[in-house]
Amino acid sequence: EVLAVAIDGLRELGLTHEDFCARVSDRRLLTAVLLAAGLPEDRVPTAFGVIDKLERHGPARSRERLATEAGLRPERAGELLELLGGGLDDLAVHFQGREEVASEVARVREYLGLLEAMGLGAFVQLDLRIVRGLAYYTGIVFELFGRKGELRALCGGGRYDRLLELVGGESLPAVGFGMGDVVLTELLTERALLPDTTRS
């Protein structure tokens, strides 16, 4: 699992679950939730863009944008933002009887269970507000942040089923992530974990 590789890479540098966490979401689940909440299918990318900027714009502005730009009724927009801040149990209860949501909830539960079985549970936090702004992501997405929250993302990535095909390669699903070297250097410096690279 590619997220495990990202987490283990930071652990090798001496960072622990007290230093950073991985905020994980799944675009398939988020899509199912948006559609079940009454969003027209052609507005899903617009809603993704709003949710991706939620922390920057705040709940009030994001609720307004979900209504005016994505076409959700204002009360539904507020309800949706609350649900995205909750957990899988909240989604399962709220969308009880919606099989398309239930199957995606089950998929994410299984994924989180695998990470737990790998001993990485303390590093992982479900956060359906993580979208990753690039449209080529299709499944699990994640971002790693310092626990204090003062830094930008240390790392981000996920699954993309058609990216290789879209850039002229073969049709092959893939996963990947990118690491932020400047942000990582700041965190390692703060934790006094940056190796001494001076030449003697």
Side-chain angles (χ1 to χ4, degrees), residues 89-126:
D89 291 340
D90 299 324
L91 292 178
V93 169
H94 188 83
F95 294 105
Q96 193 170 12
R98 299 296 296 256
E99 180 53 38
E100 69 277 21
V101 174
S103 64
E104 295 301 338
V105 165
R107 182 202 308 267
V108 174
R109 278 194 208 282
E110 181 180 4
Y111 175 77
L112 295 175
L114 289 171
L115 292 170
E116 186 75 41
M118 296 168 76
L120 301 177
F123 291 92
V124 177
Q125 171 189 337
L126 178 71

Side-chain angles (χ1 to χ4, degrees), residues 11-158:
R11 291 167 78 189
E12 284 293 316
L13 295 172
L15 296 169
T16 73
H17 69 276
E18 295 180 353
D19 300 311
F20 74 95
C21 71
R23 293 163 59 187
V24 179
S25 183
D26 190 317
R27 277 179 165 234
R28 293 163 297 193
L29 173 57
L30 190 52
T31 298
V33 165
L34 290 169
L35 296 177
L39 189 76
E41 190 167 358
D42 64 342
R43 298 290 184 90
V44 168
T46 302
F48 276 178
V50 173
I51 295 165
D52 188 49
K53 302 279 190 303
L54 177 59
E55 290 190 346
R56 186 180 310 164
H57 292 163
R61 174 75 177 122
S62 299
R63 185 168 52 249
E64 178 188 329
R65 290 186 65 209
L66 282 173
T68 58
E69 296 172 32
L72 270 180
R73 294 200 316 268
E75 65 276 11
R76 276 288 176 98
E79 186 179 81
L80 176 68
L81 291 178
E82 282 186 30
L83 280 170
L84 297 184
L88 294 176
D89 291 340
D90 299 324
L91 292 178
V93 169
H94 188 83
F95 294 105
Q96 193 170 12
R98 299 296 296 256
E99 180 53 38
E100 69 277 21
V101 174
S103 64
E104 295 301 338
V105 165
R107 182 202 308 267
V108 174
R109 278 194 208 282
E110 181 180 4
Y111 175 77
L112 295 175
L114 289 171
L115 292 170
E116 186 75 41
M118 296 168 76
L120 301 177
F123 291 92
V124 177
Q125 171 189 337
L126 178 71
D127 188 345
L128 296 177
R129 298 165 299 187
I130 296 296
V131 175
R132 303 288 296 150
L134 301 170
Y136 57 73
Y137 286 106
T138 55
I140 292 286
V141 288
F142 58 84
E143 293 182 357
L144 277 61
F145 290 90
R147 287 281 186 189
K148 290 185 179 176
E150 76 281 14
L151 301 172
R152 297 187 322 272
L154 299 161
C155 170

Side-chain angles (χ1 to χ4, degrees), residues 154-190:
L154 299 161
C155 170
R159 178 184 176 108
Y160 27 89
D161 288 330
R162 299 191 58 233
L163 180 61
L164 297 180
E165 179 184 351
L166 291 171
V167 296
E170 58 184 297
S171 178
L172 185 68
V175 294
F177 64 84
M179 202 65 86
D181 58 337
V182 173
V183 183
L184 180 56
T185 300
E186 289 178 21
L187 182 60
L188 291 172
T189 301
E190 181 185 296

